[in-house]
Amino acid sequence: MKDVTFGQYYPSHSFVHKMNPAIKILLTIAYIVGVFLVSGDNYYAGFLACVVFVLIATITARVPIFRVLKSIKAIIFFVLLSAILQIFFNKDGTPLWENGFITDKALIASGFIALRIILVVMGASLLTLTTSPVEIADGTEVLLAPLKLVKFPVHEFALIMSIALRFIPTLLEETDRIIKAQQARGAEFEGGIFKKAKAMIPVLIPLLIGSFRRADELADAMDSRCYSGSKNRTKYKKMGLTYRDAISFIITGGLVAGVVLLNGVVIL
Amino acid sequence: MAILSAENLRYSYDKKSVALDGITMSVEEGEYIAVIGHNGSGKSTLAKLFNGILKPESGKIIVDGLEATDKKSLFEIRKKVGVVFQNPDNQLVASIVEDDVAFGPENLGVKRKEIGERIDFALKAVGMEEFRKSSPTRLSGGQKQRIAIAGVLAIKPKILILDESTAMLDPIGRKEILSVIEKLNKEQGVTVIAITHYMEEVISADRVFVLDDGKIALTGTPREIFREKEYIKSIGLELPTASYIASKLVEKGLLEKGEYLTEEELLEGLCK
C-alpha cells in the first residue's frame, strides 16, 4: 500500500515540464476543444494535425510514448463501445455489402470517434504526466483567480487542495498500519466482495477519527505559524511566464486556428 | 526583564478536572527552560496558552510586553512565540520542503526575496539545506521534525516552544533534535522552552519546572531537581539513565555517594 504513488507524474526537466502549470492546463483545454472541433470534409487533415501535435508534445516532454499510451488502457472499453455503437447505428452512406447493415461511412466514423477519444485522453494524461499534483493545484489557483470577483474563496480552495495532496501519502501509511493492527487482532481481509467491504469498517473508522485528530493538530500548527487567511499574504513560489509558454501558446493556438479554418473552408 | 511571564494561570478542558491550576512562572531572554511532567500534568496545555491557541480561564500571560490573552495582539504573539508540536506529520503543510518552510513567512507577508533568505537560514540552522527540494514524506521522523522546526524558525521567533517534539522519534531522531535546539539556544540566542517527559532532555536546560497535577511542583537547575530522587519518582517521572544506574550502584556500595547526572560523570565516578 505504501508504494502507491499518487497521480502519474513522470519527473523530468523537459521543455513541457518547465512550462507554467496554469498555461499548461489552459493549453490542454484548448487542445481538447480543438480535437472536438475537427469535422467537415477535411477532417483527415484536422485529425492528422492533432496526432502530430500530441506526438510532438510527447517527444518534447521526454515522456516515453508507452507511458502516454498506457492511459488509454483504462478507457479502452469506453473507446470500443463508442466505436461499436457507431458501426451498428450509423445509417449514412452505402452498405458494405448487399442488404448489409454496416455502411462504409459508419466504419470511418467509428474509427474517428475512437481516435477522438484516444487523442483527448493522450492530451490529458500528458498534462498529468508532466505536471506534479502540487503544480496542478497552483495552476488551478491562478486560473480560478477571476472567481475572486464573485467572492469565491480561491486561496482557501487551493490551500485545501494542496493540503489534501500533502496528506495522501500520510493517510495511506496510516491505513497500512491500521490494517496490520487489525490483522494482528485476527481480522480477515480475504473473501468475497461483501466480506471485504465489511472488513474495511474497522479500518475506516479509526482512519476517520485519526484524520480528525490530524486536522485539529494541523490547524493548531498553522495558527502557530501565523496563518490568518489570504489577507496580506505573499507567495514565495512565483510561476513566471517564459519563452516556453509563449512558444507553446503560439503552436497550440495555431493548431486550434488551423482546425477551425479547415472546418470553415467547407462551411463557406 | 522577563521575556515571558505567567501569573496564576488556570485552565480546564471540562468542568470536572483542572488542567492547569495557578501556574506562575517567568522566563528570561536566552534561557533554556525545560518543563517536565508525566502525562496529563498539564504541560502541553501550557504551550498552547503561551501562544494564544488556548485562552486561560483566569490569570495573565505577558510575552515580550504583550498580553497573550488580548485577541488583537495574537498575530504579534505568534510571531514571537514559535511552537513545534509532537507529530511532525501533522505540522507540515506542503509537499516540498522549501514550500513548507516558506509557509510562515508567507503568512507574515514577507517579500519574496527575503523569504528565500529565511528558508536558507532556517534550513541551515537545522542542518537540512540539501533537502530543500525534497518531499517530506520521504524523510525520517527526525528529519521531518527538523523541517517543522525550520518552518517555525523562518518566522524568526524570539521564543521557541517544543511541545513534546521528540516524543514520537526514535533515539537517533531525538538526539538530532536536541543538538539542533542546543545550538539554536547557544548560537542564535533563541529562548527555548522544551516541554517533555524525557529526563535526558532536561539535563542541558538552565532551569527546570516540574509540573504535577496542573501545579508547579518543583523549580530549579537540573542538578537541584534530581537531588529530589524520591519525589521525582513519586510523581511518576524517571531519573536520567545515568543517575538511575548511579543510585542503584550507590545502594550496593559499588559507587561513592555523589551527583551523577550525565554519562560522563558516571564514567568518571566509576573510574575512581
Side-chain angles (χ1 to χ4, degrees), chain A residues 5-23:
Chain A
T5 46
F6 181 74
Q8 46 171 358
Y9 184 57
Y10 183 86
S12 168
H13 294 287
S14 79
F15 182 94
V16 182
H17 283 79
K18 282 183 183 158
M19 277 172 66
N20 182 318
I23 298 290

Side-chain angles (χ1 to χ4, degrees), chain A residues 166 214 225 233-234 236, chain B residues 89-90 100 107 110 112:
Chain A
R166 140 81 188 83
R214 277 180 199 282
R225 283 164 78 183
R233 201 166 187 274
T234 47
Y236 174 59
Chain B
D89 271 329
N90 298 351
D100 188 78
N107 290 336
V110 172
R112 249 193 102 227

Side-chain angles (χ1 to χ4, degrees), chain B residues 20 23 35-37 41-43 46 209-213 215-216:
Chain B
L20 288 178
I23 299 286
V35 176
I36 193 161
S41 60
K43 54 193 195 305
L46 208 55
F209 290 90
V210 181
L211 242 58
D212 182 39
D213 226 4
K215 291 188 179 75
I216 292 179

Side-chain angles (χ1 to χ4, degrees), chain A residues 131-207:
Chain A
T131 322
S132 71
V134 180
E135 284 178 312
I136 291 182
D138 289 345
T140 317
E141 182 174 6
V142 174
L143 292 176
L144 290 181
L147 287 179
K148 275 181 199 156
L149 289 175
V150 291
K151 296 263 155 82
F152 183 80
V154 176
H155 158 77
E156 282 78 3
F157 181 76
L159 187 71
I160 290 168
M161 237 166 90
S162 62
I163 287 178
L165 289 169
R166 140 81 188 83
F167 271 89
I168 286 170
T170 309
L171 290 177
L172 281 175
E173 235 177 81
E174 178 149 314
T175 313
D176 205 30
R177 205 163 42 225
I178 296 171
I179 288 179
K180 284 197 183 115
Q182 302 291 33
Q183 272 173 336
R185 296 188 176 104
E188 274 192 57
F189 292 96
E190 307 301 318
I193 189 156
F194 286 105
K195 216 178 157 198
K196 258 189 191 159
K198 222 176 146 189
M200 282 317 275
I201 293 173
V203 175
L204 291 178
I205 289 175
L207 189 67

